[in-house]
Amino acid sequence: MWKEFRTFISKGNVIELAVALIMAAAFGAVVKGLIDWIIMPPIGKALGGVDFSSLYINLSGTDYPSAVEAQAAGASGIYYGQFLNTVITFLVLAFVMFLLVKAYNSTKPDKATTTKECPFCLSTIPIGASRCPSCTSELQVAT
């Protein structure tokens, strides 16, 4: 069992997956910083100086000046401002990933055609075949 595990863990796909996971976490942190420090402040300013992360509904009987102080005190509340920030972060991250995948897919070269169809039996054969292996018909070789 140990040998199988070592073989599994040393395969290239597992290493690539681990690197991709670490890169995704770092990329997520960069996007979260972009949202929290670059995008949300102007939006909050445009909406009258609102800091979304401080929006909450206090469910406890005690008043707190901010959501941070309410959380520090362990007060019950619905912290919807932080949820809004998380949703916006997700949407921006999803959009950026969409753009990356779209750019990657547009730069992939088209695969060259390597097969053709036999006009007699309709089986798939190599493009350079001069005779069909299924029906043995003689074919014109494309030049």
Side-chain angles (χ1 to χ4, degrees), residues 28-40:
V30 168
V31 170
K32 182 168 177 21
L34 174 72
I35 299 297
D36 292 345
W37 303 318
I38 307 292
I39 294 176
M40 293 309 286

Side-chain angles (χ1 to χ4, degrees), residues 16-78:
E16 291 169 6
L17 181 62
V19 169
L21 184 64
I22 292 167
M23 291 298 294
F27 186 70
V30 168
V31 170
K32 182 168 177 21
L34 174 72
I35 299 297
D36 292 345
W37 303 318
I38 307 292
I39 294 176
M40 293 309 286
I43 292 174
K45 179 88 170 154
L47 296 175
V50 176
D51 177 17
F52 283 98
S53 64
S54 67
L55 299 176
Y56 77 108
I57 298 171
N58 190 353
L59 299 178
S60 68
T62 310
D63 287 333
Y64 297 97
S66 70
V68 173
E69 292 179 24
Q71 281 183 324
S76 296
I78 300 172

